[in-house]
Amino acid sequence: MGVRSCAPMLATTSPFSARLPQMWSQFVVSKPIVYVIDDDAAVRDSFHVLFGSHGIEVRCYASSEAFLAAAPPLENSCLLIDVDMPELDGIDLLGRLLRDGFMTPTFLMTGGGIMGSLLSTVDRSDVVLLEKPMVAGELVAEVRKALDAGRTEQRSVGSAPNLKA
């Protein structure tokens, strides 16, 4: 018996066929996404090229406010958040996401050195702290691990070794 097309069935106007797209959407596995939140355009561009060249989808935001306004879905994703941003900084953004119940693997990036207050935030939140500049290959590997772990288990946020250059 040959393969039959489902197209004619979808073209009907029955109540069941009208609900098919919504029913199928629950079975669609979204592609993993890395969200980069950094006020430095050069950093955003670099991450876009880096992750894109490894087949990882990336979406960049110039501020915490822009990220929150976009309200992207956080399922099957991880975050790379710059600590030092104007207005709502990376630590405040992370705090807000955690208070709202989002449990997404997260990497906090800093170019200003690691201070005690930053370490205590990282310890309390179980995030990965990265110092700029980072080793590209190691960063891609850790992001892949975070994305893979996020797909296979329910986690709070990511944890990995500090990736210093």
Side-chain angles (χ1 to χ4, degrees):
M1 179 179 245
V3 176
R4 293 179 42 184
S5 171
C6 295
M9 291 172 44
L10 293 176
T12 65
T13 57
S14 76
F16 178 73
S17 65
R19 289 195 332 257
L20 284 176
Q22 294 90 7
M23 291 169 48
W24 286 339
S25 68
Q26 66 182 322
F27 299 109
V28 174
V29 176
S30 64
K31 184 176 181 181
I33 300 172
V34 176
Y35 294 107
V36 176
I37 302 101
D38 197 307
D39 60 327
D40 186 332
V43 171
R44 292 191 309 271
D45 291 344
S46 295
F47 281 134
H48 198 273
V49 170
L50 174 65
F51 293 118
S53 70
H54 285 86
I56 300 172
E57 186 172 339
V58 61
R59 295 193 187 142
C60 298
Y61 298 90
S63 68
S64 296
E65 294 83 1
F67 175 75
L68 292 170
L74 296 181
E75 297 82 22
N76 204 15
S77 68
C78 74
L79 305 173
L80 280 126
I81 305 172
D82 184 29
V83 170
D84 302 311
M85 291 187 288
E87 311 227 2
L88 187 64
D89 68 24
I91 294 172
D92 292 336
L93 173 61
L94 177 61
R96 183 167 173 181
L97 293 171
L98 291 173
R99 276 191 308 277
D100 289 346
F102 291 104
M103 305 300 203
T104 303
T106 303
F107 299 85
L108 279 178
M109 306 176 292
T110 181
I114 299 175
M115 301 169 286
S117 60
L118 187 54
L119 285 175
S120 67
T121 299
V122 169
D123 288 342
R124 283 194 319 261
S125 305
D126 193 30
V127 301
V128 179
L129 180 60
L130 306 173
E131 283 189 83
K132 296 176 187 174
M134 293 161 257
V135 177
E138 291 177 11
L139 177 61
V140 170
E142 291 302 326
V143 164
R144 281 194 190 278
K145 274 196 250 178
L147 291 171
D148 289 344
R151 277 189 289 190
T152 58
E153 63 184 68
Q154 294 296 320
R155 311 168 14 117
S156 57
V157 289
S159 58
N162 191 347
L163 303 177
K164 288 176 60 173

